[in-house]
Every structure is written in C-alpha cells, then in structure tokens.
Amino acid sequence: MHRLLIIALAVLFTNIALAWQPTRPVTVLLGFAPGSGNEISFRKVSQIVQQNNPGVYFVIEHRPGADAVIAQNLLAQARADGHTISVPSHMSFFVTNDVWQKDLKKWTQNDFVNVVALGQSPLALVATKNSVVDTPQQFKALVTLAPRPISVAIGGGAHQMAYEYMIYSFGADKDRVVNIRYPGPAQAVAAVAAETTEFGIMPVAIARPLIDAGRVKLIGLTGSHVLEKLPRAPLLSETVPGISVYAGWIVSLPGTAPKNVVEWYQQEFARAIKSSEYQTWAVDNYIFIDPKQLTARGVAEYGSRLAKSFEPIIKNLK
C-alpha cells in the first residue's frame, strides 16, 4: 500500500511539473517598429493561445534596432522562466545577423530554442504608382542599365537579402541601385507610397493594403509559392531564378528554458496555428504554414538549410 502511494504521488508530481503555464504576463520582445509581419502574426496566434488558456496574457514590447539583434540581446539576458520571449525573423536570425550585425550580437544561435514558426510570406517588390516599371522584366532592364540613381526601400534582413540577390544576379551597380533601410516593412512601403523611394521590398502581407489602394504597384513576388489569394501575381523567379526569399517569423525562448516551458510553448502555439481560425486568417493575409516547422527541430532544420542556400551570396558580400 505504501509503495502504491509513493508511485501515485510520483505520477501526480510529474503531471504537475509538466502542466506549466505562465503565471504572470509574458513580455514579448519585438525587434522591429510597429506594423511588422512579426507583430501581426504573433498578435493573431497569441489571441488564440490566450483564448485556449484563460489567465495567460502577452504584452508586446517593441525594441527595434539592428534587425532584431537588440531584442535578441535582451532575450539572451532574460530569466529563462518562460515569461520573456521574442519573435525574430528566419532570415535575420539564421543568416543576415551574422553578416551585417555580427559586431552587435551578444549571443549565438545555440543560446535560444525556437519552438515554432508562425508562418511565411513571399516578399513583394513594389514601385511608386508613377514608376515606368510595371513588370519584373522591366525592373531587371532598368537596374541592369541604371541610367539614373535608383533607390530601394527595405525594412528587414530578408528584404535586404532579396535586394542583394537581385543585384548579384543582374550584375547591377550597387552605387547606382542603392538600398535605404527603414525601421520596419510598414515604414518601407510607406516610403514608396510617398515617392521617397521608387521601389521597395517587404512582405506582401504588409504591402497589400497600399497595393489595393493604388498607392503602390506590385511588380512581383519572391519565391515559387503561389498564393491562394493572389494566384496571378507575377513571380520574380521567372526573371531572377532561385530567389526563394521569404519573410518568416519564429517564437524564440532562452536556450536554458526548462523542458516543460519549452513543451508548453510548442504545444500551445502549434495548437493555435493548426486551428481553422488561424489557418483562414493566414490565407487571407498571404501567409503560408510549413507543418514541419511546428517543432523546434523543424525550425532548426529549416534554418540550417536556409543558411546553406545563401552561402554563395554571403561570400560575395564579405
């Protein structure tokens, strides 16, 4: 009897240990200015997580700068108790932070566990409504010749990598075709709408309201993924083969977070992402979900492939 009681108590305490959830508001560090894909995707999925877990609450704290390196620096210093997380971007975290922000980083990728990906979205190449360019082919012809200075607004690492990929592929002159960095994608597309820059690169989810309003023109989308809501959108891959650059967002915890904390985030966020509510919202916002990236292992494997695929471009930049 005594032995059975000990076993029962052991099982009970094990279940209690696994049944972790936040006990106070969770601080969510966002490394970009308001309006980023990181923010809109997290706000939607966290709304569902909160509905599924009464009492759980997330508080977004914008810490823009250095393509989210500042936010990750703060996460690296935070207590690994599950009450501070961040939402970095795939391309920045796995590729470009080691190229353009390496001197500012106070962490390595192994200092974090990235539990799930919230989704990915093709990048849109847009132009001012009065630009002479209407197609990817015309854009290539213009930047290749560069008869005049050309400016391209960008708001994140993936956007800059898309710019670098096109410049490299076209053999264009970077002194004539320059990129202008903005705090985030919303600010970048606003600059194109205001005709501060002629072109811009940002997630289509962020650009679409201004495209629909006729304030900017869609020239093409990166990658080969055909969006359900934009089946006829021109693909840049037909003019720039191999330009598989997507905006993508992940939920990141300190690498020393306890196993039950990591499991809670993975399970609850994957559950929310799989819900019909989030799936419908994603389609409506030009976001696609990779089921393989609903685990930490899947995110890590995707990040490794992503870094390897851009090695030739990175070598050209160094």
Side-chain angles (χ1 to χ4, degrees):
M1 184 69 178
H2 181 67
R3 179 181 175 83
L4 290 176
L5 179 60
I6 292 175
I7 293 173
L9 288 173
V11 170
L12 175 63
F13 285 123
T14 298
N15 290 335
I16 291 173
L18 291 175
W20 179 91
Q21 74 172 36
T23 56
R24 61 179 186 274
V26 176
T27 298
V28 184
L29 301 170
L30 283 176
F32 299 94
S36 66
N38 312 57
E39 180 178 1
I40 66 168
S41 59
F42 184 83
R43 283 192 184 278
K44 181 59 184 179
V45 76
S46 64
Q47 176 188 11
I48 300 171
V49 172
Q50 289 172 172
Q51 291 170 355
N52 292 339
N53 297 271
V56 172
Y57 190 66
F58 299 94
V59 179
I60 288 178
E61 187 174 304
H62 291 280
R63 290 300 186 101
D67 203 20
V69 163
I70 291 175
Q72 289 303 113
N73 284 350
L74 292 171
L75 183 62
Q77 299 167 3
R79 290 183 61 184
D81 61 0
H83 291 94
T84 305
I85 65 175
S86 70
V87 189
S89 302
H90 284 97
M91 183 66 77
S92 300
F93 184 87
F94 290 112
V95 182
T96 63
N97 286 163
D98 287 324
V99 178
W100 294 306
Q101 291 87 26
K102 60 182 179 181
D103 293 336
L104 299 175
K105 285 178 57 181
K106 298 178 182 178
W107 48 269
T108 68
Q109 292 178 16
N110 292 332
D111 291 330
F112 307 102
V113 55
N114 301 306
V115 291
V116 293
L118 302 177
Q120 294 170 271
S121 181
L123 299 178
L125 172 65
V126 301
T128 60
K129 62 182 181 181
N130 296 317
S131 173
V132 297
V133 171
D134 293 310
T135 67
Q137 294 80 9
Q138 291 174 347
F139 177 76
K140 177 181 179 179
L142 177 65
V143 301
T144 300
L145 294 175
R148 54 180 171 77
I150 300 167
S151 57
V152 182
I154 59 173
H159 323 163
Q160 184 164 357
M161 187 57 73
Y163 158 85
E164 298 286 353
Y165 193 99
M166 287 190 282
I167 294 297
Y168 175 78
S169 299
F170 297 158
D173 184 351
K174 289 178 68 173
D175 291 330
R176 300 284 288 173
V177 186
V178 300
N179 73 79
I180 301 177
R181 190 65 175 261
Y182 287 85
Q187 292 73 25
V189 71
V192 181
E195 301 191 4
T196 303
T197 65
E198 185 174 359
F199 299 100
I201 302 171
M202 67 288 299
V204 64
I206 305 301
R208 186 63 191 270
L210 292 182
I211 295 172
D212 289 345
R215 296 182 61 192
V216 299
K217 293 190 293 188
L218 175 63
I219 305 302
L221 301 177
T222 59
S224 57
H225 191 93
V226 178
L227 295 173
E228 184 177 327
K229 293 286 185 177
L230 289 172
R232 298 182 181 177
L235 297 179
L236 292 171
S237 58
E238 297 173 4
T239 304
V240 195
I243 187 164
S244 295
V245 185
Y246 297 102
W249 317 286
I250 50 184
V251 175
S252 186
L253 278 69
T256 56
K259 182 180 178 181
N260 57 353
V261 172
V262 173
E263 288 177 345
W264 184 88
Y265 275 96
Q266 192 278 313
Q267 292 172 5
E268 291 304 320
F269 274 77
R271 175 187 174 194
I273 291 167
K274 291 176 182 178
S275 70
S276 58
E277 180 180 350
Y278 189 82
Q279 294 284 324
T280 299
W281 176 86
V283 170
D284 289 343
N285 285 274
Y286 321 105
I287 294 168
F288 62 93
I289 310 299
D290 178 3
K292 294 180 180 179
Q293 292 191 64
L294 295 182
T295 66
R297 180 176 178 178
V299 174
E301 289 177 348
Y302 176 83
S304 179
R305 293 194 303 272
L306 184 68
K308 188 173 181 61
S309 69
F310 281 93
E311 283 180 356
I313 305 298
I314 293 170
K315 290 178 181 178
N316 184 64
L317 295 173
K318 292 181 176 180

